[in-house]
Amino acid sequence: MGETAWLDDLGRYINPGIARAYSFLGVLSPEVRAQGAFVYDAQGDRYVDMGGGYGVMVHGYLHPRIVARAKAQLDKIALPSRSLPVLEPIELARRLAEITPGDLQYSFFCNSGAEANEAALKFARLRTRRAGFVSAHGAFHGKTFGALSVSGRDLYKDPFRPLLQDVQLVPYGDAEALRAVVDEQTAAVILEPIQGEGGVIVPPQGYLRAAREICDRAGAMLIFDEVQSGMARTGHYFACEHEGVTPDFLTVSKALGGGIMPIGACVGTPSAMGFLDEMPLIHTSTFGGGGGGGAPLTTAVACEAIDVMRDEDFCGQAREKGAILREGLLRIQAEFPEVISDVRGRGLMLGLETAREGVGGMLMSELLHRKVLALWTLNNERVLRMIPPIVIAVETIEEVLRTVREAAAEVALVAADL
Ligand SMILES: Cc1ncc(COP(=O)(O)O)c(C=O)c1O
């Protein structure tokens, strides 16, 4: 096989557009192993993954405790008969009830963030017997039909219309806009407590609380999508805790799998999930949950992921390391305002807004050539995200800051002419 035959095959058998993009970016060696905050390509080059595997790698790649738990579980049982109950999903649901705020208690397990949101949307309809949904511009909740219907970017929605009817989008962070549309037809309001793909948007203080009050008045459910902001990344287990607000349904995925397994969960309050008593099989999936629970392998790994977060004080680490990264990025912004116009976020969920169209792509490509992976933002192309593993060492953050400065200086040379 020639050195880049894999790229031809990627184009031939998986996705020609993506193969072209890798070619264009000069990515000519695939990723073959990873550890902690680092990934290594086939040539042995080391990259710092500031994108944390698109937000999955809160624990870093192949955390030893999580790998050990997965291996031990594989010697016992991986997937269940589904005819008898298994213990691991019960263990995980209890842990989720303990770490989620307020009276969130019942867990439905699934395989992805989109599926967790699908479940929340369906459960809200069951609970309210209403049809309407309200979500926010810039939102990203996944690409299945329901989750896509409440997402905020037409580019991904237009080819698939008609989507779910009865969806209204309002500007994110504007409580009065929300108040104006939520009424007795509304089954649920779905919001990210910090928008990720919208460009790392932290809403004004009081917004989440106002959303809670607006939903309560209208008898509508409140869904917080913590698929990206959840699991310690922002300095609390869940970003809604910054305002002390509990939703009726909280969805989580990405980091729940400890960087090893795909898993999602929709956690609901007893009142919101009251339908389970009468309709225990109303929403199920073979590899996910419903009925008895979830799969032993994925849920055992997720239990260990939660225990590691607690034992290694991931919330404290996210706050401390986030402050170091943020201050460093703010210094670079002050030096190169023609490249970086804003640095925002909480903990280790940070966004760099670039000064104009085109600059984000240039900065990302300069970083890539210097072996730092930053993340593109699906619904806001001017923003690069830095959502690295919480286990990243402070020295690595300092190394990254030196690299970002170098890359910004390079981009500054041409940014003025754009
Ligand atoms: C906030 C949020 N919700 C939902 C999703 C969809 O998750 P998945 O890609 O696992 O379906 C994402 C993915 O990035 C996300 O960031």
Side-chain angles (χ1 to χ4, degrees):
M1 216 184 187
E3 266 185 17
T4 55
W6 63 271
L7 193 57
D8 299 335
D9 282 352
L10 171 63
R12 190 169 302 123
Y13 299 117
I14 296 186
N15 190 324
I18 291 290
R20 235 183 357 262
Y22 280 133
S23 237
F24 175 76
L25 285 167
V27 177
L28 300 176
S29 183
E31 171 180 312
V32 290
R33 74 190 170 87
Q35 188 67 56
F38 302 117
V39 296
Y40 299 85
D41 70 14
Q43 293 169 346
D45 282 340
R46 188 204 76 172
Y47 293 76
V48 184
D49 188 7
M50 294 304 284
Y54 274 75
V56 168
M57 299 296 162
V58 155
H59 304 77
Y61 290 85
L62 300 179
H63 190 291
R65 266 180 65 182
I66 300 174
V67 172
R69 179 79 191 252
K71 286 182 174 166
Q73 187 63 40
L74 272 175
D75 286 333
K76 294 193 281 182
I77 181 169
L79 290 170
S81 68
R82 293 184 63 85
S83 297
L84 301 178
V86 279
L87 298 180
E88 294 80 1
I90 303 170
E91 212 191 304
L92 177 60
R94 187 175 47 73
R95 276 178 177 67
L96 281 170
E98 282 164 9
I99 66 164
T100 48
D103 57 344
L104 288 164
Q105 182 178 327
Y106 285 94
S107 283
F108 167 83
F109 295 118
C110 52
N111 309 287
S112 67
E115 279 179 79
N117 287 327
E118 289 295 330
L121 296 172
K122 286 181 72 182
F123 294 167
R125 279 200 170 172
L126 270 181
R127 169 66 175 73
T128 61
R129 302 287 172 178
R130 301 174 179 177
F133 294 112
V134 177
S135 66
H137 293 298
F140 186 77
H141 299 296
K143 289 182 179 167
T144 51
F145 268 98
L148 184 64
S149 300
V150 292
S151 289
R153 192 163 179 208
D154 288 336
L155 176 73
Y156 298 111
K157 296 168 77 169
D158 284 343
F160 304 103
R161 292 189 195 280
L163 294 166
L164 274 185
Q165 305 298 302
D166 297 320
V167 174
Q168 283 175 283
L169 269 71
V170 291
Y172 184 71
D174 180 344
E176 290 322 305
L178 202 56
R179 199 182 303 280
V181 300
V182 175
D183 58 22
E184 63 288 346
Q185 314 292 325
T186 309
V189 171
I190 179 166
L191 296 170
E192 294 156 86
I194 297 178
Q195 277 195 339
E197 304 295 338
V200 190
I201 315 283
V202 181
Q205 186 69 21
Y207 178 62
L208 302 180
R209 182 155 298 284
R212 176 72 278 175
E213 177 251 314
I214 291 164
C215 286
D216 285 346
R217 277 204 186 177
M221 298 285 99
L222 179 61
I223 303 168
F224 282 157
D225 175 347
E226 295 257 17
V227 167
Q228 191 166 142
S229 57
M231 306 295 286
R233 173 168 295 295
T234 67
H236 278 297
Y237 283 136
F238 298 98
C240 61
E241 293 175 74
H242 290 279
E243 274 201 39
V245 179
T246 304
D248 300 289
F249 298 103
L250 182 147
T251 57
V252 62
S253 183
K254 293 195 186 275
L256 182 61
I260 307 271
M261 286 290 156
I263 182 170
C266 170
V267 190
T269 65
S271 154
M273 302 274 268
F275 58 84
L276 288 173
D277 229 16
E278 300 289 318
M279 294 183 279
L281 298 178
I282 192 72
H283 185 70
T284 58
S285 108
T286 301
F287 292 128
L297 180 58
T298 49
T299 51
V301 161
C303 285
E304 194 68 25
I306 290 175
D307 292 352
V308 167
M309 271 171 33
R310 180 199 57 218
D311 296 348
E312 299 186 10
D313 184 22
F314 272 20
C315 292
Q317 287 201 55
R319 282 195 289 269
E320 273 170 39
K321 293 175 182 175
I324 296 169
L325 180 59
R326 184 196 191 93
E327 278 159 28
L329 292 172
L330 283 167
R331 280 197 300 276
I332 299 168
Q333 180 198 345
E335 200 177 343
F336 301 104
E338 68 278 43
V339 179
I340 299 173
S341 56
D342 194 21
V343 176
R344 57 177 179 253
R346 284 194 200 272
L348 278 175
M349 181 174 182
L350 295 177
L352 301 185
E353 178 137 354
T354 51
R356 64 183 81 168
E357 293 293 310
V359 171
M362 284 167 59
L363 188 60
M364 193 169 129
S365 152
E366 290 296 334
L367 288 171
L368 177 68
H369 292 137
R370 290 170 174 78
K371 314 293 179 208
V372 169
L373 306 175
L375 272 198
W376 193 248
T377 303
L378 270 187
N379 294 350
N380 190 339
E381 284 162 12
R382 274 177 52 184
V383 177
L384 290 192
R385 276 172 300 160
M386 295 221 168
I387 48 176
I390 287 177
V391 298
I392 190 171
V394 170
E395 304 81 69
T396 310
I397 293 179
E398 282 158 358
E399 175 191 323
V400 165
L401 286 169
R402 286 192 293 277
T403 308
V404 174
R405 193 190 166 279
E406 252 179 62
E410 189 70 30
V411 172
L413 296 175
V414 285
D417 299 330
L418 280 179

